[in-house]
């Protein structure tokens, strides 16, 4: 938020080092660079929790409770998945969904720098910490059409969605 750059992990070794040091960082899938345009960047939780702020002014990374409220609002895990997953593209090429959330199955990057779940699951950080090594995350499973609340290791790379204050 203050204009400082977030370091990019350009190699698997850098990603592992940033995670073990607790350094805010992001990365993209270097094996499949086309995925950055489709899915965006992956951030470790240290970037989400950095006191300089990840979200733009007037926005914030949702808490675990706010993710839970989303599930309650839509009426459960399956109803939420049906409402927030990306359904296709409109005539202007914009991704669409019932709710406007348009959750994409970007997958995640583990602390070891390897990517998993691309095309089948979407993972988003929350601003809520579970303990010194884990933080709360939200999973949208495209294959089973449901959502989960879970804890993830802070060194992992997940997507980030911001909500308006």
């Amino acid at each position: 938020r203050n204009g400082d750059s977030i370091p990019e992990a350009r190699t698997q070794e850098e990603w592992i080092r940033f995670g073990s040091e607790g350094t805010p960082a992001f990365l993209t899938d270097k094996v499949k660079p086309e995925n950055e345009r489709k899915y965006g960047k992956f951030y470790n939780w240290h970037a989400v929790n950095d006191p300089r702020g990840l979200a733009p002014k007037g926005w914030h990374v949702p808490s675990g409770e706010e993710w839970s409220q989303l599930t309650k609002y839509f009426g459960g895990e399956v109803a939420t998945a049906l409402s927030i997953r990306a359904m296709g593209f409109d005539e202007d090429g914009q991704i669409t969904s019932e709710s406007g959330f348009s959750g994409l199955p970007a997958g995640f990057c583990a602390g070891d720098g390897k990517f998993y779940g691309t095309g089948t699951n979407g993972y988003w950080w929350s601003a809520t910490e579970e303990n010194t090594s884990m933080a709360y995350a939200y999973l949208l499973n495209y294959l089973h059409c449901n959502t989960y609340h879970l804890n993830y290791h802070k060194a992992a790379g997940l997507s980030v969605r911001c909500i308006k204050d």
Side-chain angles (χ1 to χ4, degrees), residues 1 55-63 65-67 69-70 101 160-165:
R1 178 177 301 161
K57 185 176 175 133
W59 295 78
H60 67 277
V61 176
S63 68
E65 178 55 32
E66 286 171 310
W67 280 111
Q69 288 172 7
L70 180 75
F101 180 93
V160 173
R161 288 299 280 256
C162 299
I163 58 176
K164 201 165 184 80
D165 291 343

Side-chain angles (χ1 to χ4, degrees), residues 11-13 15-16 27-28 108-116 155:
T11 65
Q12 197 172 8
E13 293 75 21
W15 183 249
I16 293 167
L27 82 162
T28 59
F108 73 97
C109 180
D112 63 3
K114 295 179 183 171
F115 288 85
Y116 300 94

Side-chain angles (χ1 to χ4, degrees), residues 149-160:
H149 305 261
L150 48 107
N151 292 312
Y152 248 79
H153 196 275
K154 294 176 181 179
L158 277 60
S159 299
V160 173

Side-chain angles (χ1 to χ4, degrees), residues 68-139:
S68 294
Q69 288 172 7
L70 180 75
T71 303
K72 289 176 192 168
Y73 174 80
F74 285 111
E77 293 176 351
V78 173
T80 302
L82 289 170
S83 297
I84 70 171
R85 68 182 182 168
M87 301 302 287
F89 296 90
D90 66 16
E91 58 191 39
D92 296 322
Q94 299 297 310
I95 299 167
T96 62
S97 75
E98 278 186 31
S99 66
F101 180 93
S102 299
L104 293 173
F108 73 97
C109 180
D112 63 3
K114 295 179 183 171
F115 288 85
Y116 300 94
T118 305
T120 60
N121 296 308
Y123 297 80
W124 294 273
W125 282 121
S126 82
T128 304
E129 180 179 41
E130 173 67 20
N131 57 41
T132 58
S133 62
M134 307 291 277
Y136 186 78
Y138 193 75
L139 163 66

